[in-house]
Amino acid sequence: MPERRPFVRLPTDVYPVNYGLSLKPDLIDFTFEGKLEAVVEVTQATNQIVMNCADIDIITASFAPQGGEEINATGFNYQNEDEKVTLSFPSALQKGSGSLKIDFVGELNDKMKGFYRSKYTAPSGEIRYAAVTQFEATDARRAFPCWDEPAIKATFDITLIVPKDRVALSNMNVIDRKPYPEDENLVEIKFATTPIMSTYLVAFVIGEYDFVEGQSSDGVTVRVYTPVGKAEQGKFALEVATKTLPFYKDYFSVPYPLPKIDLIAIADFAAGAMENWGLVTYRETALLIDPKNSCASSRQWVALVVGHELAHQWFGNLVTMEWWTHLWLNEGFASWIEYLCVDHCFPEYDIWTQFVSADYTRALDLDALDSSHPIEVNVGHPSEVDEIFDAISYSKGASVIRMLHNYIGDEDFRKGMNAYLLKFQHKNASTEDLWDCLEQASGKPIAAVMGSWTKQMGFPIIVVDQEQQGDDRILKISQKKFCASGPHNGEECPNWMVPISICTSEDPKCTKLKVLLDRPETTITLSGINTDQWIKINPGTVGFYRIQYSSSMLESLLPGIRDLSLQPVDRLGLQNDLFSLSRAGMISTVEVLKLMEAFVNEPNYTVWSDLSCNLGVLSSLLSHTDFHEEIQEFIRDLFTPIGLELGWDSKPGEGHLDALLRSLVLGKLGKAGHKPTLEEARRRFKDHVEGKQILPADLRSPVSLHQESLILKLKICYMQEEKNRIERVLGAISAPDLIQKVLNFAISEEVRPQDTVAAIGGVAGSSKQGRKAAWKFVKDNWEELYNRYQGGFLISRLIKLTVDGFAIDKMAAEVKSFFESHPAPAAERTVQQCCENILLNAAWLKRDADDIQQYLLQRKAPPV
């Protein structure tokens, strides 16, 4: 890690009470003019005011004490590196209230942060620009000079001066709209005063949009804004939002505090979405659903993102973290409760099983690396914030909150949450404040338990052995840190406070015993268990740890996979644990392949999805060997029966999960070179292109994996979602010149910068040639790519997607030295994690390749 720059928060001798802000964007020249008139409080006499300010030119500034003479600032000293400006005054500003006036100008940048421009095509075909905002974490200072720290809350009165044919939105409702005296083509739109809030949640949008509107049962007006002509694509999100607001109101026992909420699709958007209070911004794929063209996975993604952002309206916006160190709580909490919300709205999604595959196992994988970090990272300089928007703050955060909720129980959890929201509303809080409220509500040692999961990195592996004594089953349970490189052998072995639940084959869904393991090892006696019953630790796969069973315990669990008596989430968890133990060299990969073959009767989509993911990792690993075809054959054998059962066409009465499963299985068979699937895919794609038979949306991804006419299709493609599906799939095409074409296309004008990363990642993940070509491409085009993302989190994602799949020691050295000479500070940790993954892959290959090859060959040998 480099030397941390010494970082100092803003001085506290002057703070804002209300910002009166008027902005006039120029959508042709990409500049804006601003006037700030802020009511401020001087707490001790000073002759300077220090504020945050970046890429803004101040023209004049003055201060007028209440009832006193206006004093003009005599100097503006910009500290660009620190994104601060110091306004100097000729005499001391005295204690008390006053008014600070600043006139300034800025630019509507194209970096997707601050006050920026977003390109769209008007229905007439003309290229136009909208002006939109993205302030989290520290970019409000690019739109107006302000105290840009989450704990410095104030109210905002916003006025926008805009062309009269444009839609202008902000956090609050419009209270006045009048012609602008100096130009008859402009109008002045004034919004109601906001509640006390943080700067990073302020937002404004000026552009051309249609909308659909509804009311939630508790009387909040909800609108979903879409590109012109696509209003019907906002209906699904509207339905989710109107159901979700009352759900949260009820869950938290606190009403939504604003009169309206708008959800809006922005064409150029770096993140998935942003929870600005009352005006939530989304990238188009996270909000728009075309009733005819969207697949099940897109609907589910939209429902989750809407649920996530709306949860923030309480948890984050009403109560805000005191500093970025506590960001994980904000994000981890919203990433957990989005699932609770979707489960409430759409019980048929089986969404909690998907949580385990999407968030829980992803977090376990990252957190087993030596280059992981604790959930709680001390953040000094805000440039460090981008780096902690990662799977640890989101997915591990969500996973430990899920574990906590399970440990406390829903009723006490809600009681504690309500106390927390009421105590800190319109204020700021830290992680400890939440633990206190939950501790009081539940009487359990929450702070001590949770501290062990948030303040140290990693998690334990729970080692379990058993013996039978009469009718008693004696369990020996111990914990040690789990490392991706194998058992932890350091001197200092960290310990966790681990909530452990145990179930038996008598009732696999019901927990028979709960204990809190607060020491390295313990012995537990379960009585009334006869010899033929099996024991399972962590039912529901809720505890954030991996388990290593003795071989006899594992043997006894296998029938529970075959006959499906184990819950789906536990079948998934068992397989995922073993897979990661094999990667860590604690068991042979052959054991996992044998286990995978037991999943031949598996009906559950999410279980297949996790299997598919792990087989993808294995297939990528073995692409470095000469028996790659054998693992493809293994995949074909495993997936063929379920593929035949599902077929290509949906059947009456099928639901959401069947659609997801069909898409997954056919895609997997196609990628593994299953001839009948490929032939059928080509036939159907041809019919689709010729307009004979349009493909259902759920089949588009698996089919197009095998098509080369895709690039043409992308050019004529209208829907954003369809476009994303194509960008991901474009990568999965071989033939070197085509790979090169796809890569060049990814950074062309025709792909939005936010989507370039997925397209290049698709190439890297497609094949061995793809991986090499994508890495070379990133190196050759580094300057452009880096400038394009200005060190935001997309640059980390790009690096991870392109280099994670290598498995040769010298590649780790090459990646390391490339980034030493081309530094990307925001992605430093990602680079370390990738290098570590490459070395782990190489070690895994050395260790297990021969055994895997033997197993795959003898599987097919005729019995003697």
Side-chain angles (χ1 to χ4, degrees):
M1 282 275 144
E3 273 308 298
R4 300 270 166 173
R5 282 169 295 199
F7 169 73
V8 192
R9 286 206 213 174
L10 293 169
T12 52
D13 47 12
V14 180
Y15 69 88
V17 176
N18 169 269
Y19 290 86
L21 179 63
S22 165
L23 288 167
K24 180 166 161 268
D26 181 329
L27 301 173
I28 309 295
D29 292 340
F30 307 138
T31 56
F32 61 89
E33 295 169 26
K35 286 186 185 320
L36 174 65
E37 199 165 321
V39 177
V40 301
E41 195 64 40
V42 180
T43 56
Q44 53 192 32
T46 173
N47 60 357
Q48 53 180 34
I49 295 181
V50 183
M51 303 168 76
N52 291 116
C53 174
D55 301 332
I56 279 177
D57 286 321
I58 293 175
I59 296 161
T60 60
S62 68
F63 178 83
Q66 206 169 359
E69 288 294 297
E70 188 168 16
I71 312 166
N72 285 314
T74 44
F76 317 133
N77 177 17
Y78 298 94
Q79 293 106 291
N80 291 337
E81 181 68 2
D82 294 328
E83 302 183 338
K84 287 176 186 169
V85 65
T86 302
L87 309 177
S88 310
F89 293 89
S91 58
L93 314 180
Q94 297 308 315
K95 257 176 79 157
S97 185
S99 162
L100 172 67
K101 287 186 188 168
I102 302 179
D103 288 1
F104 58 93
V105 291
E107 75 155 327
L108 285 176
N109 69 64
D110 58 357
K111 301 278 190 256
M112 293 192 280
K113 61 185 191 181
F115 198 9
Y116 71 92
R117 59 187 192 256
S118 169
K119 186 160 128 182
Y120 65 97
T121 309
S124 67
E126 180 194 352
I127 295 285
R128 292 188 186 158
Y129 289 86
V132 301
T133 57
Q134 167 60 36
F135 290 166
E136 188 178 25
T138 57
D139 291 316
R141 61 192 66 173
R142 287 171 203 285
F144 56 100
C146 56
W147 285 262
D148 200 7
E149 295 182 359
I152 307 182
K153 288 189 170 187
T155 58
F156 292 81
D157 284 283
I158 290 172
T159 300
L160 298 174
I161 298 159
V162 300
K164 62 182 181 205
D165 60 349
R166 299 296 147 103
V167 172
L169 302 171
S170 185
N171 306 80
M172 299 298 288
N173 48 304
V174 173
I175 51 170
D176 188 31
R177 181 189 169 101
K178 56 176 192 267
Y180 182 63
E182 293 157 50
D183 182 341
E184 71 213 19
N185 295 313
L186 300 181
V187 287
E188 192 168 327
I189 299 180
K190 192 168 171 20
F191 298 90
T193 308
T194 67
I196 297 175
M197 62 185 286
S198 301
T199 48
Y200 79 89
L201 293 165
V202 172
F204 14 93
V205 175
I206 298 105
E208 295 175 273
Y209 301 95
D210 285 346
F211 67 85
V212 284
E213 178 178 322
Q215 287 258 325
S216 68
S217 57
D218 47 352
V220 180
T221 302
V222 183
R223 284 183 176 180
V224 177
Y225 283 86
T226 72
V228 174
K230 295 190 186 178
E232 84 290 351
Q233 296 184 18
K235 285 185 170 152
F236 178 71
L238 183 66
E239 175 201 343
V240 177
T242 45
K243 277 187 184 170
T244 297
L245 286 170
F247 170 73
Y248 286 145
K249 175 191 172 177
D250 183 53
Y251 195 84
F252 297 131
S253 307
V254 174
Y256 173 73
L258 307 187
K260 63 92 177 173
I261 188 161
D262 297 325
L263 291 70
I264 185 167
I266 304 291
D268 292 283
F269 198 76
M274 174 63 211
E275 69 267 19
N276 317 303
W277 215 356
L279 176 57
V280 184
T281 47
Y282 295 79
R283 65 161 63 193
E284 292 186 354
T285 44
L287 189 67
L288 303 181
I289 289 291
D290 178 336
K292 293 181 291 297
N293 272 323
S294 289
C295 55
S297 58
S298 303
R299 283 171 192 275
Q300 179 175 301
W301 165 239
V302 167
L304 285 168
V305 179
V306 170
H308 178 101
E309 304 308 330
L310 294 191
H312 277 312
Q313 306 300 305
W314 285 262
F315 204 95
N317 301 8
L318 182 63
V319 177
T320 309
M321 65 261 152
E322 198 281 324
W323 186 248
W324 302 110
T325 301
H326 303 280
L327 174 76
W328 82 270
L329 189 61
N330 214 350
E331 292 306 344
F333 183 84
S335 301
W336 166 76
I337 207 167
E338 68 185 60
Y339 284 87
L340 198 70
C341 158
V342 168
D343 194 44
H344 162 81
C345 295
F346 304 100
E348 71 277 13
Y349 286 10
D350 180 33
I351 201 76
W352 278 115
T353 307
Q354 297 192 56
F355 174 88
V356 171
S357 165
D359 283 273
Y360 169 93
T361 55
R362 184 166 156 241
L364 286 169
D365 286 340
L366 186 52
D367 205 24
L369 299 176
D370 295 337
S371 51
S372 180
H373 61 86
I375 287 182
E376 263 187 79
V377 183
N378 262 320
V379 176
H381 199 284
S383 67
E384 297 161 19
V385 175
D386 263 338
E387 220 184 319
I388 59 168
F389 277 89
D390 67 359
I392 296 290
S393 44
Y394 283 78
S395 300
K396 183 181 180 181
S399 301
V400 299
I401 286 170
R402 174 169 167 259
M403 171 168 72
L404 169 70
H405 174 262
N406 183 266
Y407 170 62
I408 293 180
D410 192 60
E411 196 183 329
D412 285 349
F413 186 85
R414 287 170 71 164
K415 212 160 62 184
M417 284 303 315
N418 173 257
Y420 171 80
L421 288 170
L422 290 179
K423 181 171 177 186
F424 294 102
Q425 58 184 335
H426 303 298
K427 297 194 191 73
N428 296 78
S430 68
T431 304
E432 283 61 41
D433 295 318
L434 179 60
W435 297 164
D436 290 346
C437 292
L438 290 170
E439 198 154 303
Q440 285 176 344
S442 67
K444 292 183 169 155
I446 305 304
V449 171
M450 293 307 285
S452 74
W453 298 95
T454 66
K455 290 186 188 311
Q456 55 184 3
M457 73 179 211
F459 58 87
I461 178 166
I462 304 293
V463 182
V464 195
D465 202 355
Q466 63 174 15
E467 57 171 308
Q468 186 80 18
Q469 293 185 352
D471 269 352
D472 291 347
R473 189 78 56 94
I474 317 288
L475 295 183
K476 239 190 89 177
I477 296 184
S478 63
Q479 61 163 310
K480 56 173 186 277
K481 182 179 186 323
F482 178 72
C483 297
S485 53
H488 175 87
N489 290 324
E491 294 301 297
E492 271 299 288
C493 194
N495 266 309
W496 283 264
M497 305 218 2
V498 192
I500 289 187
S501 320
I502 300 167
C503 70
T504 69
S505 45
E506 197 174 19
D507 186 353
K509 281 195 173 61
C510 180
T511 296
K512 203 171 171 76
L513 185 69
K514 281 188 168 189
V515 293
L516 185 64
L517 177 65
D518 54 3
R519 58 190 66 138
E521 55 186 341
T522 188
T523 303
I524 295 167
T525 303
L526 291 168
S527 44
I529 309 270
N530 58 32
T531 29
D532 55 1
Q533 281 187 16
W534 50 252
I535 297 268
K536 164 92 178 62
I537 309 288
N538 201 14
T541 312
V542 176
F544 194 74
Y545 47 84
R546 294 210 179 272
I547 303 170
Q548 184 171 26
Y549 291 100
S550 65
S551 42
S552 67
M553 286 184 85
L554 192 57
E555 279 297 308
S556 68
L557 286 167
L558 291 187
I561 290 180
R562 279 202 189 82
D563 66 20
L564 309 178
S565 57
L566 270 170
Q567 301 181 72
V569 67
D570 289 330
R571 304 196 290 270
L572 187 162
L574 204 58
Q575 177 266 130
N576 198 286
D577 275 354
L578 282 188
F579 188 74
S580 90
L581 290 178
S582 74
R583 187 172 186 233
M586 296 164 78
I587 59 168
S588 163
T589 309
V590 171
E591 295 301 312
V592 186
L593 292 172
K594 287 181 184 160
L595 172 78
M596 285 175 167
E597 291 177 307
F599 282 88
V600 69
N601 312 316
E602 182 57 58
N604 184 283
Y605 159 70
T606 315
V607 176
W608 275 114
S609 160
D610 199 69
L611 271 168
S612 163
C613 207
N614 288 339
L615 282 163
V617 169
L618 211 50
S619 163
S620 165
L621 184 76
L622 299 178
S623 67
H624 301 273
T625 68
D626 50 10
F627 57 93
H628 190 229
E629 180 41 45
E630 277 72 11
I631 190 76
Q632 300 310 312
E633 190 182 2
F634 180 87
I635 294 172
R636 294 195 296 267
D637 290 347
L638 187 56
F639 278 79
T640 300
I642 180 87
L644 289 171
E645 192 183 319
L646 286 164
W648 279 79
D649 299 302
S650 61
K651 303 173 187 60
E654 278 189 351
H656 178 80
L657 293 163
D658 301 297
L660 292 176
L661 183 57
R662 177 172 293 110
S663 168
L664 173 82
V665 169
L666 294 176
K668 197 69 175 175
L669 283 167
K671 201 168 175 185
H674 183 247
K675 290 227 167 46
T677 303
L678 287 170
E679 280 154 20
E680 183 65 10
R682 282 201 188 96
R683 187 182 72 70
R684 288 180 180 242
F685 189 74
K686 192 164 158 289
D687 287 354
H688 177 73
V689 172
E690 291 167 4
K692 281 189 211 157
Q693 175 83 50
I694 295 299
L695 280 170
D698 289 302
L699 286 183
R700 303 256 171 103
S701 210
V703 170
S704 29
L705 272 169
H706 328 300
Q707 303 314 325
E708 279 134 47
S709 45
L710 266 182
I711 293 194
L712 287 169
K713 191 171 166 211
L714 189 60
K715 299 203 170 170
I716 51 177
C717 173
Y718 173 56
M719 256 201 87
Q720 182 69 23
E721 180 203 333
E722 179 78 344
K723 216 160 146 181
N724 273 19
R725 207 169 337 176
I726 294 170
E727 274 147 13
R728 272 203 316 276
V729 170
L730 270 177
I733 299 173
S734 31
D737 46 336
L738 200 61
I739 286 179
Q740 215 38 54
K741 255 193 212 137
V742 173
L743 288 169
N744 293 331
F745 182 63
I747 58 169
S748 70
E749 283 289 293
E750 291 175 59
V751 173
R752 290 189 181 272
Q754 65 199 27
D755 300 324
T756 300
V757 172
I760 297 175
V763 173
S766 64
S767 64
K768 195 172 171 181
Q769 306 97 298
R771 192 179 305 126
K772 280 198 173 117
W775 168 233
K776 182 176 184 317
F777 184 80
V778 166
K779 286 188 298 187
D780 293 348
N781 296 278
W782 177 251
E783 299 311 312
E784 182 181 342
L785 288 164
Y786 187 68
N787 286 335
R788 190 180 268 205
Y789 301 115
Q790 285 291 305
F793 65 91
L794 281 170
I795 204 83
S796 299
R797 191 165 295 167
L798 176 70
I799 294 168
K800 184 170 171 44
L801 287 169
T802 33
V803 305
D804 235 8
F806 287 113
I808 306 153
D809 288 352
K810 73 168 198 297
M811 276 311 303
E814 180 180 318
V815 170
K816 186 167 182 282
S817 78
F818 179 80
F819 289 108
E820 274 164 5
S821 54
H822 303 78
E828 211 150 348
R829 195 187 300 274
T830 304
V831 172
Q832 289 176 337
Q833 288 165 350
C834 290
C835 293
E836 190 176 340
N837 270 326
I838 295 172
L839 295 173
L840 288 167
N841 287 342
W844 188 8
L845 210 50
K846 281 196 201 89
R847 196 174 54 233
D848 273 8
D850 291 349
D851 290 352
I852 296 173
Q853 185 175 17
Q854 282 317 111
Y855 179 73
L856 291 174
L857 291 173
Q858 61 90 45
R859 237 182 100 243
K860 283 296 176 194
V864 182

